[in-house]
Amino acid sequence: ESASFIYMKDVRTLGKTVEITSMEEIDMMLQLFHDLGMIIHFTSTPTLNDIVTLSPQWLIDGLSKIIRDRELHKYNAKKIRDVGLEDEVQKMFEEAIVSLDLMEYFWEHNTVEFLIDLMKRTLLISDWAFDGQHDGNSFFLVPSLLHEQKKYKSK
């Protein structure tokens, strides 16, 4: 099975096997491959720079675990209940607020920092710190999950 992503330290190791040793050359190579659409490599933060995406589908699959239509793409309710995250899923769909715990569950604790950083940088999520019910957990607003409320009509 091919890898969906590779860490920058492993890119450097692979580069050395073909005598590409300078970081400048590696950065140029990654930029070229990114420009050609062969890989996805973001460099705006150290967290994003540390991972080179080899499979765009991996990114789409990760993001779609959060951004999805509740009716079209249902979660396995039994699994969600078994891990005690039923209220978290309900809050996500009703209030567009997702917890770090839920993200870690969906992403299986795999590259969570990277995916959060990517979603923040692309404005798919933003930090949410207004409801005062943190219990040591971080929360994020997912604007695309906001839905229209019935409008108030004055008489």
Side-chain angles (χ1 to χ4, degrees):
E1 182 178 320
S2 63
S4 299
F5 66 90
I6 186 171
Y7 289 100
M8 185 58 83
K9 66 178 177 53
D10 297 323
V11 170
R12 281 190 224 112
T13 301
L14 287 171
K16 288 177 185 175
T17 65
V18 291
E19 298 184 23
I20 299 175
T21 56
S22 80
M23 274 310 295
E24 184 178 334
E25 287 179 306
I26 289 173
D27 289 341
M28 287 173 39
M29 174 194 67
L30 290 173
Q31 184 62 52
L32 174 65
F33 290 163
H34 177 89
D35 291 345
L36 293 172
M38 299 170 67
I39 63 168
I40 298 174
H41 184 235
F42 302 105
T43 58
S44 57
T45 69
T47 301
L48 293 178
N49 188 57
D50 191 44
I51 290 183
V52 177
T53 303
L54 304 174
S55 168
Q57 189 63 49
W58 171 75
L59 275 181
I60 293 166
D61 291 346
L63 299 178
S64 69
K65 290 180 180 178
I66 304 297
I67 299 173
R68 64 193 308 144
D69 183 293
R70 182 181 202 164
E71 299 306 315
L72 292 175
H73 307 286
K74 298 185 184 291
Y75 295 115
N76 183 323
K78 183 183 179 335
K79 284 184 179 180
I80 296 291
R81 219 176 4 264
D82 289 349
V83 295
L85 292 172
E86 195 171 24
D87 291 341
E88 302 286 333
V89 171
Q90 184 174 353
K91 183 174 184 141
M92 182 175 76
F93 284 118
E94 290 179 3
E95 301 175 33
I97 304 294
V98 63
S99 69
L100 178 59
D101 287 344
L102 189 60
M103 290 174 153
E104 287 177 341
Y105 169 75
F106 285 150
W107 295 330
E108 299 169 351
H109 303 277
N110 188 15
T111 64
V112 172
E113 286 182 35
F114 171 81
L115 291 168
I116 288 174
D117 198 14
L118 175 63
M119 292 182 81
K120 282 182 177 182
R121 295 279 168 192
T122 55
L123 304 176
L124 295 173
I125 63 171
S126 62
D127 290 312
W128 184 259
F130 300 105
D131 61 6
Q133 301 174 5
H134 294 293
D135 302 328
N137 196 359
S138 296
F139 292 91
F140 304 92
L141 173 68
V142 185
S144 62
L145 294 180
L146 291 170
H147 49 85
E148 187 176 339
Q149 299 291 324
K150 292 183 180 181
K151 296 185 183 205
Y152 172 75
K153 293 183 180 180
S154 62
K155 294 183 180 184

